[in-house]
Every structure is written in structure tokens, then in C-alpha cells.
Amino acid sequence: MSPFSISWKSLRANSLTSLLNVLLIAFGIGILAVLLLASSQISSKVHDNARGIDLVVGAKGSPMQLILSSVFYIDYPTGNISLQEADSLARHPLVKRAVPLALGDNIAGARIVGTDSSFINLYNLQLAQGNFWQHDFEVTVGATVAQEQHLQPGDILYGAHGLSEGAALHEEHPYRVAGILKPKGNATDHLVLTGINSIWRMHGQEEEHDYEHGEEEEHHAAEKEITALLIQYKSPGAMVLFPRLVNKSTNMQAASPAHESARLFSLIGVGIDTLQWFALFIMLMAAISVFISLYNSLKERKYDLAVMRIMGASKSKLFQIVLLEGVLLALAGSLLGLLLGHATLQLINSYQESAHTRLSGLYFMPQELYLLAAGCCVGMVAAALPAIQAYQSDISKILSKS
Amino acid sequence: MISFRSVRHGYGNNISLKFQDWTLQQGEPWLLLGNSGSGKTTLLHILTGLLKPQQGEVLVKGTNLYQLRPKELDLFRGRNIGLILQRAHLIRSLTVLENLLLAQSFAGLPTDRQLAKATLASLHMEEKINRYPHQLSQGQLQRVSIARAVLHRPALLVADEPTSSLDDKNAEAVLQLLLCQARATAATLVVATHDQRVKTSFSNQYSLPDVAV
């Protein structure tokens, strides 16, 4: 019979106390696991979505709002900017690539993005079926949207005004699905892409143009608006000059995705820190609880330990047995905690509204093994003193007192 | 052969107990007599390798117990010395059979379920092998602890006051069991007691004098 099975059976004999200890450890490790998994998923999502975008130019307002709406497609846009001004920025020598975005409508919650082929190149999009949009009112839909709405090329869709589900439908102009994108694992999976002109026509900007003719066209181009411009620099040096240029000499604002995501993290970081301390506090309580229960059970079991010595067990074997009890409790607690962490994230996932920011419970990290090891260390430390006591117990004294 | 030579022990620095030399032949049943306070338990603990005396030596099967390293002494005790405590005690979290298997494993012997079951059967405990200690009566517990003590056919079988809490009939039964098991395993039996009922069954006696305080 190994020390392992002796410890296991002893824990089973005190199943309620053992359960309490396991739950305490599981709770602490669970919170730490949720924090670890969630922050890693959020930062990898941020990274994936902001890849290749050095700067976003949009209407004045909150720079974070601009980034959230134009890079992550979760907040509302800050407003519109003039197409003419945007075009002049796009032609600036420091700019390698400029991607126009026109937001405003949605299909069943998925945002319709009016843009041009530069968007395809920016995100390196590929088609799973059909084609990219070519004519007005043709759309190419993201993989997740197609899957959730059961869309096929050739299907007809109606956009709804605004960015949230259930608003008034634009029934006058149906969209036709031209193609479906391959999944990219970022926000583009959740978008419906079309030409900018479709957005303008949908909102009447181009219809005006139909009534008036010829020389008026230039004038109207000036009135055309887009929501934002995603910019990729030619050289890193532009990072210093270009934002200042936009902010000083135009009535638009420039926001850096990297800078704003860092700011976002520092804001939610306070919450993460608080939760982390809370989890560590719970782990401390768990350690104390393991210590007290082992210490108490040792008092009741000192006769058991004396009998083990009579049977030939050495002092170090008793030490092992008691230490192993702490480690087993901690191991069970930590494993349960990791399971709990993943289950919690999966639960959060099912309540999250915006589909592309969803956290997954099926996301695993090698750092979880550190959590497991840390949990076991807590158990070992808590069991150390009782184990030393078991090691030092004087059997002759225990037996003669009975 | 077991011998006990010029053993002296005391608690603290003063030596208060001086034990007469004692030699026990293999297979001999002995009675250890002494009133409470006469150092009977101390003697038993010294004899079974649980308590290192301040002076003197104890030889069991030619091995000087207190010259062994602590780990070797534990193993030697597990294999060669069976100790039956006054109040029978088994490991609470293990079944009767598991308690015996644990004894085999602690003594460094291979697990032998058949032997464990046969030993329990010889004490009429075969039906209780999967019970837990708290499900047994005190008498049943004592049978199991006898089974545990004789399991590895020890050279020395020591029982501390095995009859003190029993009525006449049961006391006699336990005594016969011990004698019978000792004979079957060719063990030297030492029964420590102050119980007058036991005396008639033994020819060899080692008496501790009352300590004058």
C-alpha cells in the first residue's frame, strides 16, 4: 500500500472537511484562471484586430471610442468625416495604405461596412465561396455571419438602420450576397462588407446626385462622408509626425490602436488587480484551512500514526503521508479550479452580446500548469508543519498516555 | 533468543529504573508482572524498540536493537516484533483487510492477500475483512490487532495488558488465542499484566519490583 493510497483513504474518511478545503482552493485557483484566460484572450483579440493598422482617423470625439468602433466594431462611431479631407490624407506621402470605412447599418446585429478593396488587402481576406462585392448592393459576408444566418451566395438580405439589431429595415434596397469569407478569427468574421457607394445610396447621398447633373458632381463629392480611415504608414518615422498633422491641421482626430488598447488595459487593469488580490486572499484562506484541518486531524490521529510506527513505518514515511494529504487536497482543488475557470468563461460567453468579442472556455494556455503547480505548493506549505509534527511525534509517549 | 542486558532508564537525567537482566528462549511464553508505576510499559517499549534506554542493550534474534539506524530499527520492528496494545487500535480510514495489508507494506514485505485472509480466518474474523474499525466491537478489534501482530510470524510477540478490560471468559479466550498463535508461529510471547487470572497459564515469570517513591 503506497503512501499515496494511505493519504487518499485518510482524506476520504474526512470527506466533508476535505471537500471544504478542495472548494476553497478551487475557488481561488478558479478566479486566477478566469483572469489569466480572459486577459490573454482579450489581448490576443486586440492584437489580431489591430494588426497592420497604425492609425485611425475619424471625427473628433473620444479616441478610444474611435478605436473601439473602427477597429473592434463594438462601440458607436464618433461621427463622420468629409471624404475629400480623408482622400487628401490618404494621398499623403507618409501613408502606405488608407482604408475608408463607412458604418451605419446592420444585418441581424452584424455591422455592414462600406469600404473598398484595400480592406481586403489590409486583413488579407480570402473567399470561401462566391466573389467579393463588385456592384452596388452586393455584399461579401464574414464566416460567422454566414454560418449564423445560414447564408449562401445569391441570398437576399435587408439592412437595418443603425448598429443594433431590430431597428427599422431599409426595405427599399435589398442586398445580394456575392460571396462568403473564410474565417480569420478576428472581427472580420462578424462583418458584412460592401462598397462605400452602396452605403451612400442607401442613405440618399447618391440619390441626390441622380437629380442634378454634370458640373455639380465635384461639389457633391465634397459633401460625401465616411466614418473613418484606417491608415498604414510607409515608415515607422511617420508615427511621430502624422498624428500631429491630422490633429493640428484638420478638424479630424487621429487615434493609435496600440496606444488606446494600452490605455484600455490600464483602465480594466485596476479591476483585474483587485480580483487578483481577492483570489490570492482566498488562496491564503485555503492554505490556513488546509493547515488547520490537517493539524486537527493529526491530534485525533496521533494514535493512528503511532500504530503505523509499530507496524514498521519510519518517521519520514509519516512525514510523506501527511504532506501528501495536503498536496492531494491542493491538486484536486487546483484541477477543479481550472475546470471552474473554463466553465465560467464558457458561461460568460453564452451571455455576451457582441459576438466577436466573445471569450471562449475552450481556450487553453501552458501557464495554467503554473497555476496548478502554485496550487500544489500552497498545499505543501500548509501541510509542512503538521507533517513535521508527525515526523517528530514520540510514539512511546503517545502510547503510554492512553 | 531475546536478551535484555543491564538496561537502565529514567526520564530526564536521573536514572530511576534498573532492570534485571532477562533472557528469553525462542518460543517460550513469558509473563511480565508488575504493578502500575513499576516501569512495565517502559520495559515493553524498550523491548519492542520504541524507546531507547539510557543504558544497556536489547538483542532480538542476535540483533542489537539500539545499534540499528532509526529507519532500520523501524523496519526490524515491523518484521520481527508483534505488539498488541492494551486498547486495540486500527487505522480508522482503512478496512480490516487493508490494515493487515498496510502492515505488510510497512514491514517491506510483498502484499499477500491470501496470508492476510488466512490469518484473519484463524482468529475467526474472515467475515469482517471489509469492515471499518468503527464497525467492530472492542473484542473484534483486539482479534484483528492480534492478527496484525502475528501476520509476519514475528520472533517476539508482546501483549500489553490484553485482558484488563475483559470478563473472565473472554480473558481466558484471548489468552488461549495468544498462546496458540505464538505456538503456531514459534514466537516468544511476553504478556505484561497485573491481572491475577492470567498467572496460572504461564510457567515463566519476570517480575518488576514496586518502586519505592
Side-chain angles (χ1 to χ4, degrees), chain B residues 87-102:
Chain B
R87 229 183 72 231
H89 191 92
L90 301 177
I91 310 299
R92 289 179 306 170
S93 50
L94 304 178
T95 64
V96 166
L97 183 62
E98 285 169 341
N99 263 280
L100 264 67
L101 298 180
L102 184 65

Side-chain angles (χ1 to χ4, degrees), chain A residues 1-2 5-6 9-14 297 300-301 303-318 321 394-397 399-400 402, chain B residues 11 41 45 50-51 70-71 74-75 77-79 81 83 85-94 97-99 101-103 105-107 111 132 148 152:
Chain A
M1 204 172 278
S2 65
S5 61
I6 300 165
K9 279 175 174 156
S10 159
L11 290 176
R12 219 181 44 181
N14 290 315
S297 91
E300 295 164 26
R301 279 163 61 205
Y303 217 78
D304 274 18
L305 295 177
V307 168
M308 287 185 190
R309 292 290 307 281
I310 289 173
M311 291 197 276
S314 60
K315 288 178 167 206
S316 52
K317 202 147 227 169
L318 299 194
I321 289 170
D394 180 344
I395 17 172
S396 174
K397 223 178 233 173
L399 292 178
S400 46
S402 63
Chain B
Y11 294 93
T41 302
H45 287 176
L50 295 175
L51 181 66
K71 217 166 189 163
D74 287 323
L75 206 59
R77 181 193 315 118
R79 279 189 195 171
I81 301 170
L83 178 59
L85 298 166
Q86 186 172 358
R87 229 183 72 231
H89 191 92
L90 301 177
I91 310 299
R92 289 179 306 170
S93 50
L94 304 178
L97 183 62
E98 285 169 341
N99 263 280
L101 298 180
L102 184 65
S105 128
F106 279 151
T111 303
Y132 283 89
R148 187 181 62 200
H152 324 310

Side-chain angles (χ1 to χ4, degrees), chain B residues 123-180:
Chain B
L123 289 149
H124 309 293
M125 290 297 296
E126 64 268 41
E127 282 165 16
K128 309 283 186 192
I129 58 169
N130 291 321
R131 296 291 175 86
Y132 283 89
H134 66 90
Q135 295 169 314
L136 302 182
S137 70
Q138 194 59 35
Q140 289 169 331
L141 279 178
Q142 194 154 34
R143 282 166 183 267
V144 178
S145 52
I146 292 172
R148 187 181 62 200
V150 301
L151 187 60
H152 324 310
R153 302 182 151 260
L156 175 62
L157 185 60
V158 177
D160 188 8
E161 302 278 10
T163 58
S164 62
S165 56
L166 301 176
D167 58 35
D168 289 355
K169 193 172 149 228
N170 278 310
E172 181 56 27
V174 165
L175 216 53
Q176 288 312 314
L177 261 174
L178 285 172
L179 285 164
C180 166

Side-chain angles (χ1 to χ4, degrees), chain B residues 33 44 54 64 71 73-74 84 103 108:
Chain B
L33 288 169
L44 282 186
Q54 283 169 342
N64 190 336
K71 217 166 189 163
L73 175 57
D74 287 323
I84 297 152

Side-chain angles (χ1 to χ4, degrees), chain A residues 347-364:
Chain A
L347 195 73
I348 291 174
N349 168 314
S350 62
Y351 283 105
Q352 268 179 313
E353 271 187 22
S354 54
H356 58 278
T357 52
R358 262 183 207 159
L359 300 169
S360 166
L362 299 170
Y363 176 93
F364 296 92

